[in-house]
Amino acid sequence: MPGTSIRSLLAACSLAAQTSAAVIDLPIWFRNSYAVVQVAIGTPPKSHLLRFDTGSATTWVVDEVCETECANYSRYPRNGYNASASSTAGSLGIYGSIEYLGGDTAGPGVSWAQTAADGFFGLAFTSIAEAGTATVVETMMRQGMLDEPRFGIYYATEFNDTGGPGTVWRTRIASMTGSTTWANGTKEETTVGFEGWSWSVFDTGAGSISVPENQVDAIYASIGMDYREILDGHRIPLCSEFNSSWSVSFNFSDDDEGRVITLTGDQLARPGFAEREDACWPPFDGGNQDGFFLIGTPLLHQFYSVWDFGAEEVQNYQPRIGFGALKPEFRGIRS
Ligand SMILES: *[C@@H]1O[C@H](CO)[C@@H](O)[C@H](O)[C@H]1NC(C)=O
Ligand SMILES: *[C@@H]1O[C@H](CO)[C@@H](O)[C@H](O)[C@H]1NC(C)=O
Ligand SMILES: *[C@@H]1O[C@H](CO)[C@@H](O)[C@H](O)[C@H]1NC(C)=O
Ligand SMILES: *[C@@H]1O[C@H](CO)[C@@H](O)[C@H](O)[C@H]1NC(C)=O
Ligand SMILES: *[C@@H]1O[C@H](CO)[C@@H](O)[C@H](O)[C@H]1NC(C)=O
Ligand SMILES: *[C@@H]1O[C@H](CO)[C@@H](O)[C@H](O)[C@H]1NC(C)=O
């Protein structure tokens, strides 16, 4: 993000000052299909729209200079944070730059000029936050502002613009099972097991599900698709093929008790592949890191998720992510 100056606002976090409740609700808005939450920052509070991201840990907003000077093709105005206009602003003396692409946890591909937000709201762990800062959620936990050390996320069906000792959230993944039902009614299940320490990182900033390159062919084969044919352009998956006759289950497990999440073909349909409305994006990407799965919005949009630190003190963290079925009115959405 050349030319973007970033100010850490964590010292001046006044998120909770406006509310006495121990449960804080931040409605999710969509702008240019980016999910953002509205957060009031400063004294007097000024409203900012921040893109929330469980794959990064720093919360930042553009400053008053960037408000007018930074590239902006987003069709939306940006609201800069003017530290001199807030009586509670304090400088940490830190100047940071954040790399969202690359690194161990593939983050969101950010084209800042297109992003219709004022900044980022990092929901990962303080251990990967900019040096010397703590995440907003963990700061609030420390200050006793939350009744439980966790947050929940659900996405509504409305994808219109609504003018209105961890490091990242991850879990072991033991296997994936593809299930297909043939025209003659025969059901076939194929399990692809992942040896050793395979991890999945849950990232609201990722728009796809990535699986290790060396597993991707077997995973496609388990749902009756040929990944190479798609890559080579010999086959374009049609959205009409994404139906409930097939499904894929993820076995997220750190012990013998597997925790399995199943997505059916229709839930994985994302139209717009090859610039065609009747073609759907291949459900998984091949990632170049062995043993690393990135679970983004195609799965997260289908569930109510609870992101639980397990304790308020870092040394006692036992991070868990829980998934619950969405109420019927929120189901069947496409990203
Ligand atoms: C960003 O672009 C939109 C649309 O072109 C415009 O309305 C808005 O004022 C711009 N914001 C800034 C800060 O330039
Ligand atoms: C920032 O706030 C200060 C103090 O209120 C004000 O003098 C200044 O004009 C503001 N800057 C911008 C760009 O709004
Ligand atoms: C969302 O978009 C649809 C289709 O354009 C429209 O019918 C609906 O009213 C919109 N909803 C809101 C809340 O704007
Ligand atoms: C059903 O169809 C599949 C695929 O064509 C085939 O492999 C399988 O043997 C068939 N099963 C029966 C019971 O006919
Ligand atoms: C699902 O799609 C396949 C391939 O297009 C088709 O053969 C099958 O009949 C469909 N099944 C259902 C339940 O719609
Ligand atoms: C999930 O994986 C674990 C091994 O880590 C295994 O014990 C469990 O049976 C699996 N569950 C399912 C439903 O496949």
Side-chain angles (χ1 to χ4, degrees):
M1 268 162 289
T4 307
S5 56
I6 291 169
R7 290 202 180 159
S8 173
L9 55 89
L10 294 155
C13 166
S14 72
L15 231 189
Q18 43 179 325
T19 164
S20 54
V23 174
I24 296 167
D25 254 328
L26 300 175
I28 296 172
W29 294 16
F30 286 90
R31 281 181 155 192
N32 295 356
S33 83
Y34 292 108
V36 297
V37 288
Q38 189 177 32
V39 176
I41 302 165
T43 313
K46 201 175 156 191
S47 178
H48 298 275
L49 291 180
L50 303 182
R51 182 166 169 199
F52 65 91
D53 182 18
T54 59
S56 62
T58 300
T59 294
W60 57 269
V61 276
V62 298
D63 66 12
E64 78 281 11
V65 177
C66 185
E67 175 176 315
T68 48
E69 302 298 321
C70 290
N72 167 17
Y73 311 119
S74 72
R75 297 186 292 116
Y76 289 94
R78 293 203 183 111
N79 248 339
Y81 171 68
N82 183 350
S84 18
S86 170
S87 65
T88 44
S91 173
L92 295 176
I94 298 165
Y95 205 83
S97 76
I98 304 167
E99 190 67 64
Y100 283 97
L101 285 173
D104 274 356
T105 58
V110 180
S111 164
W112 178 244
Q114 308 283 353
T115 303
D118 302 332
F120 262 68
F121 193 74
L123 290 166
F125 293 79
T126 290
S127 51
I128 60 163
E130 274 296 288
T133 67
T135 70
V136 172
V137 173
E138 288 176 85
T139 302
M140 291 169 71
M141 267 159 48
R142 294 296 109 69
Q143 297 179 358
M145 291 173 176
L146 299 179
D147 64 351
E148 298 280 355
R150 66 185 184 212
F151 59 91
I153 298 175
Y154 72 94
Y155 297 82
T157 45
E158 189 56 81
F159 270 67
N160 296 5
D161 289 345
T162 42
T167 51
V168 290
W169 292 96
R170 65 175 194 172
T171 179
R172 292 284 306 278
I173 179 167
S175 60
M176 281 171 70
T177 300
S179 166
T180 51
T181 307
W182 301 110
N184 60 19
T186 309
K187 192 172 170 180
E188 195 171 308
E189 275 192 2
T190 312
T191 295
V192 184
F194 310 124
E195 297 294 316
W197 292 85
S198 290
W199 290 96
S200 48
V201 166
F202 294 82
D203 185 353
T204 59
S208 63
I209 298 174
S210 302
V211 303
E213 185 70 35
N214 57 9
Q215 312 277 4
V216 69
D217 293 306
I219 290 166
Y220 270 86
S222 78
I223 51 172
M225 287 192 195
D226 186 330
Y227 187 53
R228 299 295 141 187
E229 271 187 9
I230 299 171
L231 279 191
D232 296 344
H234 295 312
R235 206 170 90 71
I236 291 182
L238 298 176
C239 293
S240 57
E241 297 165 29
F242 285 69
N243 61 28
S244 58
S245 72
W246 58 274
S247 66
V248 60
S249 299
F250 300 80
N251 182 351
F252 297 113
S253 143
D254 42 18
D255 48 34
D256 286 346
E257 224 180 297
R259 290 165 189 84
V260 178
I261 286 180
T262 299
L263 291 177
T264 49
D266 50 333
Q267 290 181 304
L268 283 163
R270 285 180 295 142
F273 183 59
E275 298 183 18
R276 285 170 54 170
E277 267 312 295
D278 66 337
C280 269
W281 288 90
F284 312 108
D285 296 338
N288 52 17
Q289 213 175 321
D290 279 2
F292 177 75
F293 294 70
L294 183 66
I295 311 288
T297 50
L299 185 145
L300 297 173
H301 278 177
Q302 303 294 337
F303 297 93
Y304 177 90
S305 52
V306 174
W307 308 66
D308 190 345
F309 291 84
E312 302 205 340
E313 307 73 33
V314 178
Q315 66 274 19
N316 298 332
Y317 279 177
Q318 290 194 320
R320 292 161 59 94
I321 308 170
F323 291 95
L326 284 173
K327 292 180 184 169
E329 62 266 34
F330 295 128
R331 267 179 224 150
I333 49 173
R334 292 172 162 181
S335 59

